Amino acid sequence: MTDITHVTVLGTGVLGSQIAFQTAYSGFAVAAYDISDEVLEKARQRFAGLADTYRVDGVAGDAEGKAVAALDRVRYSADLADAVKDADLVIEAIPEILSLKQETYEKLGKVAPEKTIFATNSSTLLPSDLKDFTGRPEKFLALHFANQVWKYNTAEVMGTADTDPAVFDEIVAFAGEIGMVPIPIHKEKAGYVLNSLLVPFLNASYALAAGGYAEPKDIDNVWRIATGAPLGPLQITDIIGLTTPYNILSNAGPEAKPLAEWLKATYIDQGKLGIATGHGFYDYTNTGE
Ligand code: NAD
């Protein structure tokens, strides 16, 4: 059991709203912070939508309206000092822009109580890129969730060399308290564990398809049948959306450029961006194939 009772989430977008709602659902008092009252009004709608999703998805059998009750544990504030005044933990889920995160940590470090632990949900930045802006590197680390936290409930916990081991352990325990499976990472690693495995795996599948070695469906078939995995790499890509791997490949140096161009010319330029658009490596409009 941790000493954490009050959690503030910075940013109420895709991931921030899910993290805040899951935390409230788990019984914590949550403050949701975003840049304006207008954005926070949208956040209220997102939270209500999540309460509905939890009911529909039958998360923990929601017969007693636990998801709706969670809404009452969330308060909203567009004033940073007010949002963090009681916080034992701040989880930051603002856009993936280094300068914006650095500025935000500088402000946060000045207004948050001394006891408050800060955790970043950043996907691609290392906590070392941010720690010196927090004013409290010993109480700062990464806590990285996966999209759709109620279903894909991993939380990768990764500190810097400066993170106090007791703080690290407390956040591992907290992740468990909000229904996540904590994945402690002992040294800083870009991509954490998940993306260190997933990105090269997906890239290998694109190289096989782009090189004409095998058809996309057969690449997925061999992976599924021979390993027992539920999905092949190209099916996974259709769920993620093709823009994300395209952006990753485009920023991965000159050797990765031809693969990025192939994804763009063959799929993205044809409007085939993944399941969300009805087409990706597969056509989802009729047959689900
Ligand atoms: P998003 O764009 O959906 O949401 C960002 C939110 O932050 C918006 O509500 C925006 O108004 C708010 N914001 C902007 N500036 C702010 C500021 N200065 N202070 C407070 N709030 C501010 O982004 P997202 O997809 O939720 O990603 C947020 C973070 O989570 C990123 O670091 C991203 O790498 C990480 N992440 C995203 C995913 C994903 O699948 N989307 C998965 C894991 C981690």
Side-chain angles (χ1 to χ4, degrees):
M1 181 96 180
T2 67
D3 293 334
I4 296 170
T5 57
H6 286 71
V7 178
T8 299
V9 178
L10 307 189
T12 57
V14 174
L15 255 285
S17 59
Q18 294 179 16
I19 296 165
F21 187 74
Q22 178 68 26
T23 304
Y25 183 79
S26 308
F28 292 81
V30 171
Y33 167 80
D34 213 306
I35 46 174
S36 69
D37 289 331
E38 290 75 50
V39 179
L40 285 173
E41 195 43 50
K42 288 203 192 104
R44 273 178 208 276
Q45 292 161 19
R46 272 180 195 269
F47 287 106
L50 283 167
D52 228 37
T53 304
Y54 276 42
R55 259 205 324 271
V56 172
D57 280 8
V59 181
D62 192 44
E64 292 152 37
K66 199 176 153 199
V68 175
L71 295 172
D72 292 337
R73 282 193 285 276
V74 184
R75 74 179 178 94
Y76 301 83
S77 179
D79 174 334
L80 186 62
D82 171 62
V84 302
K85 66 178 194 280
D86 303 316
D88 301 303
L89 169 65
V90 170
I91 304 175
E92 169 269 307
I94 71 170
E96 193 75 347
I97 301 166
L98 180 62
S99 57
L100 181 69
K101 291 209 194 243
Q102 289 176 337
E103 279 163 28
T104 302
Y105 278 109
E106 262 181 346
K107 288 186 201 145
L108 178 64
K110 291 191 183 116
V111 295
E114 211 181 303
K115 65 171 182 181
T116 312
I117 297 169
F118 300 164
T120 181
N121 182 47
S122 173
S123 293
T124 60
L125 302 169
L126 287 170
S128 284
D129 298 332
L130 303 170
K131 72 178 170 72
D132 293 337
F133 296 81
T134 64
R136 60 188 77 189
E138 72 291 348
K139 291 200 190 82
F140 175 66
L141 75 181
L143 177 61
H144 182 239
F145 295 82
N147 195 7
Q148 303 197 354
V149 299
W150 61 97
K151 270 202 271 187
Y152 305 122
N153 60 331
T154 56
E156 296 180 279
V157 185
M158 186 170 83
T160 72
D162 293 338
T163 308
D164 179 342
V167 167
F168 184 90
D169 292 345
E170 188 165 18
I171 297 306
V172 169
F174 168 77
E177 289 177 354
I178 60 166
M180 300 295 110
V181 176
I183 311 292
I185 300 178
H186 305 305
K187 293 185 208 175
E188 268 196 320
K189 174 83 180 84
Y192 303 86
V193 171
L194 177 62
N195 285 333
S196 296
L197 294 167
L198 188 61
V199 171
F201 169 60
L202 297 183
N203 287 347
S205 74
Y206 312 148
L208 288 166
Y213 294 98
E215 295 302 317
K217 73 172 176 23
D218 291 324
I219 294 169
D220 280 348
N221 265 340
V222 72
W223 184 256
R224 279 197 313 263
I225 298 167
T227 69
L231 296 175
L234 303 170
Q235 290 175 300
I236 294 173
T237 303
D238 276 355
I239 293 170
I240 296 170
L242 273 66
T243 316
T244 301
Y246 170 73
N247 288 338
I248 292 172
L249 283 164
S250 301
N251 292 317
E255 279 174 26
K257 275 269 182 294
L259 218 43
E261 285 314 312
W262 174 80
L263 268 184
K264 183 171 183 298
T266 318
Y267 296 99
I268 294 173
D269 287 351
Q270 321 297 322
K272 296 180 176 179
L273 302 180
I275 284 183
T277 59
H279 295 268
F281 287 97
Y282 297 87
D283 176 358
Y284 299 91
T285 50
N286 290 316
T287 60
E289 278 291 302

